[in-house]
Amino acid sequence: MLVLHKECLLCSILPKRKHADTGKGRKRVLVVVLAACLCGCGRQEPAQDIVEEVPLFWEIHTTQELLEGDYLLYYVNCAGTQMEGQGLYQSSADQAYGADAGTGKMWGYQPKEYMEAVADTSGEGVMGSRWEIQEGASYDAEETGFYYDFELPQGEYEVTVGFYNPFSARTVCVDLEGNREVDSLKILKYKLTEAVATTEVTDGSLQVKVYNPDRGSDAMKDPILSYITVKAVPVYDEALLGQYLEQMAVPSGEEGRYTASSYQVYQEKREEALGLAAGEGQPAEYRKACEELKEAYGELEEIKVYGTFQVGKRWTDDEGNLIQAHGGQVQRIPVRDAATGEMVEKWWWVGEDKSAGYRGGIRAYSSDDLYNWHSEGIVMRNVDSREQLEEDPYFQELYGDYTEEQLDNVYACLSSQTAVIERPKMLYNQKTDMYVIWFHADGPTQYSDSNYAAASAGVAVSRTPNGPFRFIDRYRLNTCPKDQEDFYPQSKGMARDMNLFVDEDGTAYIIYSSEENLTLYISRLNEEYTYLATDPEEAVYGEDFIRLFPGAQREAPALFVRDGSYYLMTSGCTGWSPNQARYYRADSVLGEWENCGDPCVGDDKLTTFDSQSTCIFLADEDKGTYIYMGDRWNSEDLTNSRYIWLPVEFQEDGSMYLHYQEEWSLESPTP
Ligand code: DGJ
């Protein structure tokens, strides 16, 4: 058998290898044919020398072939059987040194009696198995370790060695081709640590040795080894950049498949690369251009078309952008079709735009099927400075006729630095043909720096549902009648989490948390839907407003009607954290509301399936399907808060239930 005998496994005799330049960049390597080993260990010994020419890596493979495999030649899942990624030269996850069954390449570990293959269920993939040193094995500081050899043509290679260490911290060293390339690398407990080094291979085979010469007599410092990857290091030049450009091209006509933002980054990188390819560059520039183009190409995000509700998952609009309509409301409204001028019905979703985090404006989306949404843009913008109100044409158009005092108020209520704009809801007023948005308008006041000091309800109006909405004012609302117990007498008329409801007779109501969120109120709106029906000073309890569950501390109200019965779903008050829902029923909006308890059933019911109510609407009149809309707030990153939409179930007596489902559709709302 022809073996490149680097080291006799048992007696460690190192046959000498001679290299001779062929003059063409290739090397001639002395290959040794083995008979019996000289030491009498039973192994074969060098018997005859032959000289073979070791080819250059780049002469063997096309760039195309390597690009496709990301230059990966070996990906060894040490002591494992599962392949994580397949290198070009291998067909199994790991093997003892020998010919690969699929590729014929010589590679694998040199078996040592002290090596123990260990499976680890706490790690996945290449972290799911490793080599360890057998307990009690005798340890030689320089010799004991893990040895791998990989057949490789001449060239430069990048070697990554990975360690998933379930034990106490320790150090490891990595030798490549007999040279210490990684010295005393600290591998921490339950951490994945990787070392990357490049090396030149000239003799047809790469030697990797992983060991810990500092182990001393402490077995807790034994080396381990989880995986090894070997990659070809590309020669970055004009030709390679050309290949990248060819390989990473979006076919014409397919540009629209990708989100505008990801396609724009890709386009920029592509143009930079094309510019470099047309001129002359340095290897580092070619490398940068290749790597950036590859990254941008890899990050091209396809626009998704939805046919189901994927509960709590990323939800993108028809341009691929994350939907930003938190604390929102969905309804079917009449909208003027831009093309025909005719009034058509559309699903309309308004909500908080949290793309910049906590503070933002109000955004709207339209849809024909409730799954796929088109952004109608920010329908009410917040304001960056007082000057912007008078200088920016967008605001000039809206507020050109406002007095200085009114402009000061707009700035105080919509400032992008201080204002809090939450839980917007919209109504279409048939009488005035106006769209009216109410929202929880909050922020600091002259008396308090708190973000929730103003505790008011804001109003904005527009002729079109996609705005721009003109902010009118923010108001404190009704107050606790003198003959009832006020749970927060020190601050009257507060209004925070809110919702709107229009009854069958066209009367609109605002439902909101008041008295420092301790008591919910329902107040009747005027016919234009732009203010209360009656000023708080004159409002009559029971006719103009009611208080609900004084002291019960409920928020996030969602009111809807079904078969003449009124439902109000609410949450508790725990900031951005979810809590248990409760719903109430009544025969009329300003009637007697009965506590019906928690509608949620199953695991996570105590946190409303990790969500907070914002709206419940009739999605399919024929089937009578109502949808619960909740927010799964991500307080660390509000932009990435998710939506929980679930079908509401009703029993014959009208009691309502919510079950969690990961995915569902209007066609089959229940599993
Ligand atoms: C709970 C409310 O329901 C949300 O709208 C928001 O105001 C958070 N509190 C802020 O903590």
Side-chain angles (χ1 to χ4, degrees), residues 57 61 65-66 69-96 98-109 126 148-153 160 226-232:
F57 184 82
H61 298 291
E65 176 186 21
L66 292 164
D70 199 21
Y71 298 89
L72 188 66
L73 305 176
Y74 294 100
Y75 193 161
V76 183
N77 180 3
C78 297
T81 50
Q82 300 292 313
M83 296 273 265
E84 182 90 343
Q86 180 158 354
L88 195 61
Y89 289 171
Q90 74 187 119
S91 64
S92 64
D94 198 6
Q95 64 175 32
D100 185 286
T103 68
K105 297 284 176 196
M106 298 293 289
W107 71 277
Y109 58 87
V126 280
Y148 273 84
D149 290 73
F150 300 98
E151 182 180 339
L152 288 169
T160 303
S226 303
Y227 58 91
I228 302 175
T229 68
V230 181
K231 279 183 158 192

Side-chain angles (χ1 to χ4, degrees), residues 332-623:
R332 200 149 176 83
I333 53 160
V335 186
R336 194 168 302 283
D337 186 277
T340 63
E342 296 290 307
M343 286 305 262
V344 292
E345 290 241 312
K346 286 251 175 217
W347 289 109
W348 209 260
W349 183 354
V350 288
E352 300 161 30
D353 179 276
K354 293 222 174 293
S355 40
Y358 180 44
R359 295 180 213 277
I362 299 171
R363 190 182 276 275
Y365 294 86
S366 59
S367 169
D368 290 320
D369 61 9
L370 289 169
Y371 305 117
N372 298 288
W373 293 88
H374 173 73
S375 173
E376 297 286 341
I378 304 278
V379 297
M380 193 193 80
R381 272 172 60 178
N382 57 6
V383 189
D384 293 331
S385 65
R386 174 65 177 78
E387 294 74 54
Q388 196 187 20
L389 278 179
E390 289 178 271
E391 287 164 9
D392 184 326
Y394 171 93
F395 292 111
Q396 277 177 343
E397 182 78 27
L398 283 173
Y399 304 114
D401 59 350
Y402 272 34
T403 63
E404 288 291 313
E405 202 184 331
Q406 282 176 310
L407 288 174
D408 289 345
N409 186 46
V410 175
Y411 181 56
C413 299
L414 301 188
S415 159
S416 60
Q417 279 93 61
T418 56
V420 172
I421 298 170
E422 289 180 350
R423 298 190 171 265
K425 308 286 179 301
M426 190 178 88
L427 294 179
Y428 170 63
N429 189 300
Q430 227 162 359
K431 229 174 82 187
T432 58
D433 191 24
M434 291 287 271
Y435 296 84
V436 185
I437 283 182
W438 281 77
F439 61 100
H440 169 194
D442 227 316
T445 61
Q446 59 183 129
Y447 308 109
S448 164
D449 286 344
S450 158
N451 278 325
Y452 293 98
S456 302
V459 186
V461 294
S462 169
R463 284 259 161 239
T464 52
N466 48 4
F469 276 76
R470 178 158 103 136
F471 176 72
I472 309 276
D473 207 346
R474 72 181 179 197
Y475 310 101
R476 284 285 174 113
L477 303 178
N478 286 310
T479 57
C480 181
K482 291 202 173 53
D483 58 350
Q484 296 183 21
E485 185 189 352
D486 188 340
F487 278 79
Y488 206 67
Q490 54 271 55
S491 191
K492 298 279 189 189
M494 293 172 111
R496 291 212 182 103
D497 276 14
M498 48 119 335
N499 214 320
L500 299 174
F501 176 74
V502 182
D503 209 348
E504 276 143 11
D505 64 0
T507 309
Y509 299 88
I510 179 166
I511 307 100
Y512 54 98
S513 300
S514 189
E515 298 175 19
E516 189 63 356
N517 294 348
L518 286 159
T519 304
L520 279 170
Y521 276 55
I522 303 183
S523 295
R524 198 154 55 84
L525 295 182
N526 65 13
E527 290 193 356
E528 293 76 31
Y529 303 164
T530 51
Y531 186 56
L532 295 174
T534 313
D535 263 334
E537 297 80 52
E538 280 128 45
V540 177
Y541 190 82
E543 278 178 31
D544 292 311
F545 73 104
I546 54 168
R547 296 169 75 231
L548 296 178
F549 342 116
Q553 206 172 34
R554 308 303 297 169
E555 63 179 6
L559 204 161
F560 65 99
V561 65
R562 177 181 178 271
D563 291 345
S565 193
Y566 295 80
Y567 294 76
L568 177 62
M569 174 130 169
T570 65
S571 78
C573 301
T574 48
W576 300 113
S577 310
N579 52 51
Q580 190 171 17
R582 199 182 293 163
Y583 82 104
Y584 305 84
R585 279 179 79 181
D587 293 334
S588 62
V589 180
L590 297 184
E592 284 293 315
W593 287 85
E594 183 199 344
N595 181 354
C596 301
D598 184 353
C600 302
V601 182
D603 291 349
D604 299 327
K605 63 173 261 148
L606 295 182
T607 58
T608 320
F609 314 117
D610 193 2
S611 75
Q612 188 183 27
S613 46
T614 184
C615 172
I616 295 178
F617 67 96
L618 180 57
D620 186 329
E621 221 162 311
D622 298 336
K623 286 193 180 140

Side-chain angles (χ1 to χ4, degrees), residues 246-258 263 266 270 297 300:
E246 202 174 299
Q247 186 111 346
M248 287 155 205
V250 172
S252 104
E254 288 192 15
E255 301 82 355
R257 275 178 51 202
Y258 302 102
Y263 190 76
Y266 161 77
R270 189 166 177 84
Y297 184 75
L300 276 172

Side-chain angles (χ1 to χ4, degrees), residues 267-283:
Q267 268 291 74
E268 279 166 21
K269 295 300 165 197
R270 189 166 177 84
E271 261 150 41
E272 279 171 31
L274 282 166
L276 186 63
E280 283 201 354
Q282 295 299 313

